[in-house]
Amino acid sequence: MNDDRLARYAKLIVEVGANVQPGQYVLVTADIAHAPVVRAIAERAYLAGAGRVDVDYADRHVRRSALLHAPAESLTTAPAWELARLHECEDVGAALIRLTGNPDPHLFDGIDPARIAAAPLEFVSESRRIVLGGKVSWTICAAPNAGWAEQVFGEPDEERLWEAVGVAMRFDSPDVVAAWRAHRLELKARAEALDALDLDAVHYVGEGTDLTVGLLAGCRWSSGSMTTEAGVEFMPNLPTEEVFTSPDRRRADGTMTLTRPLVMPRAGVLVEGLRVEFAGGRIVDVHASRGEDAVKAELGSDEGARSLGEVSLVDGASKVRAAGVIFHDTLYDENAGCHVAWGQGFPMTIEGGTGMAADELFERGINRSSVHTDVVIGGPGVSVEGQTRDGRTVPIIKDDTWVLATA
Amino acid sequence: MNDDRLARYAKLIVEVGANVQPGQYVLVTADIAHAPVVRAIAERAYLAGAGRVDVDYADRHVRRSALLHAPAESLTTAPAWELARLHECEDVGAALIRLTGNPDPHLFDGIDPARIAAAPLEFVSESRRIVLGGKVSWTICAAPNAGWAEQVFGEPDEERLWEAVGVAMRFDSPDVVAAWRAHRLELKARAEALDALDLDAVHYVGEGTDLTVGLLAGCRWSSGSMTTEAGVEFMPNLPTEEVFTSPDRRRADGTMTLTRPLVMPRAGVLVEGLRVEFAGGRIVDVHASRGEDAVKAELGSDEGARSLGEVSLVDGASKVRAAGVIFHDTLYDENAGCHVAWGQGFPMTIEGGTGMAADELFERGINRSSVHTDVVIGGPGVSVEGQTRDGRTVPIIKDDTWVLATA
């Protein structure tokens, strides 16, 4: 551990990621293996004027006992106090910081995938509503640890993982906060250029991939930045290299083949060699050389799991790509290339969406699910074209390079 | 770590300590350094049929940042959801398991004792009401860890600490659960013998100690066992070697000198060489060779902090004493000898007490405070006599040996 690096990382998370405001309530959600990063965040958040910093530490070994032995209903419900905490965060306009970086990715190996995929649906749905509702600021970032390093490198070399994370996080910049503010502006320019095209569909083409996904009229592209109702700008993901939107859940056809391994966000199961077939907006077939059961269990978890909630554009200039490793963590790996996600969509991608009820959003074409799983289909050799409503085809990414002009 | 020992310890905590029932909600409160014991408890609790096991992991480093930087009001209030969790535990009749064993006792050194002593009073008071109210079962036990071992032995020898804990916890018994059930019966017999005396006062005498504490008419002595309204017997402290009651908060006179160091339960500050003067039920003077400021800060925290909430009797047969070390943890060290506690008293020691409002209890003579700090005044050379309401003096402990006849 390098204390100076930890402190700079915490400053980035607090000032740019969650953008903690004076007096604000901060809730950090992390694994106990993330303690060094959690502690640096807590210290930095108080220095930024936080009114209180609470940490909700999880322990995957305790979770394992629950997966093995708990009554089924306790896997699909949350205690009332946990919902009360979520609502209190909304009421007071909290800053939510969630850390990823799985310290033991094989801990759930051999456990029934259906139990792993079980989730407290009401809680998950309220949680999504609140983080997208404009009251809270939030960010997800990673905490390097020995177990995660072992997954990436085959040995628990935490320092090597910190170096890779450092490339993706632009730690080499003399002022890392300023570097991220500049990067955010570049992504914003890409999103604005896409919005100006008023696309009807995007078409991903590469080896094993020929996928066309329909877009909603008037949908907006997001970059790595959101703003609360109170006007506080924050970055939901650190790092981020993408511009993305929610597609029309009813329109996706063709095939996609993943260009990176996937670690299922909830189950922690590694999936390799995944190929997915779409017809009429739904996933109709799935093959994988590893982890196929876990994917199928998740796709069966609710009605919306088989439709897309996100399409995303990333080119080869990605700093996550530059790090040169497979991180085995969606937060990082999705940013290594173009990707899509099955499951829950984003209300803010349509006009007035954040104020709409879930039913109305669904009616308009924004997908609804308790899951949201990003899968990377971009990389060298992959191109993306846009199809405009007036029938033109516009190149956006050509062989992994962004080609659409930005302001 | 020895997995078999951990599993046996967890079985004791779950079956005898909290006495977890099928379907019950279990909330474990621990430091992240306690993870190995927490995990064993969670596994065992599910095997006992627990409906759900949640863990509230604390991190003293995060607490340190709060003590250094947080606004004062955030030290004296709790978020609403934390109170909601407490009430949910009461409503569902939860089992509460709290782990002690400070992994870094010097972490708060140099921090303003008044900030360390600050507490969310409403939350603390509700918490005390609930654990003593008959709806929940609960137990406090320790989780050996390297930092705690370093405090005890001057080096982080966790194995040596486990051995000392093993003596105190009767791990050498072939059936540790049965051994604790038998020990519980012995303590119960002592409490019944004391109840039969109907004492008006107890008188502690030893080197530097000559203290008389008045008792309430009809007060009952407790042993290491309580029973919920639903009839589930549990042991609030593991280990326990004591019989105890709450005295009349208005009657304590004389001097006491601690025979063991004290680690302040909230502040974690080490106190040595403590001598305390009482007059008319109140602490009127305090001297210590170390940690005096922390004691004074706590005694100033509220009106009741200077009066006694507990008198307790332990003789030299104590297994905690047999372990032969100063544990630097009240849970253990108080059980090495006779002790008293300033601060909050116990409602269950008077008839109908658990159903009484705080004001009525106070009026009856049961002390009220946000603190409860046990200090040991017993050991070799210390004797305790009872003074009956009809004027007799009855020896209870003579030079550290229990002499009062039991059934």
Side-chain angles (χ1 to χ4, degrees), chain A residues 3 35 38-47 50-55 57, chain B residues 31-32 58-71 74-75 102-113 115-118 266-268:
Chain A
D3 281 351
V38 167
R39 292 165 179 179
I41 289 171
E43 177 74 8
R44 189 73 220 178
Y46 278 121
L47 294 178
R52 175 191 303 274
V53 181
D54 278 342
V55 182
Y57 272 121
Chain B
D31 188 279
I32 59 174
D59 182 339
R60 291 172 59 81
H61 291 262
V62 172
R63 171 79 181 149
R64 183 174 188 274
S65 291
L67 291 174
L68 289 172
H69 311 298
S74 101
L75 301 177
N102 191 335
D104 197 344
H106 297 295
L107 194 62
F108 300 162
D109 286 1
I111 296 178
D112 176 6
R115 282 181 66 90
I116 296 173
R266 191 175 300 151

Side-chain angles (χ1 to χ4, degrees), chain A residues 67-82:
Chain A
L67 291 174
L68 288 173
H69 311 299
E73 64 271 29
S74 103
L75 301 178
T76 54
T77 53
W81 66 262
E82 225 174 322

Side-chain angles (χ1 to χ4, degrees), chain B residues 6 9-10 13-14 26 28 36-46 53 97 99 141:
Chain B
L6 262 184
Y9 186 31
I13 292 167
V14 167
V26 178
V28 183
V37 175
V38 168
R39 293 165 178 179
I41 289 171
E43 177 73 8
R44 190 74 222 176
Y46 278 120
V53 182
I97 299 174
L99 297 183
C141 44

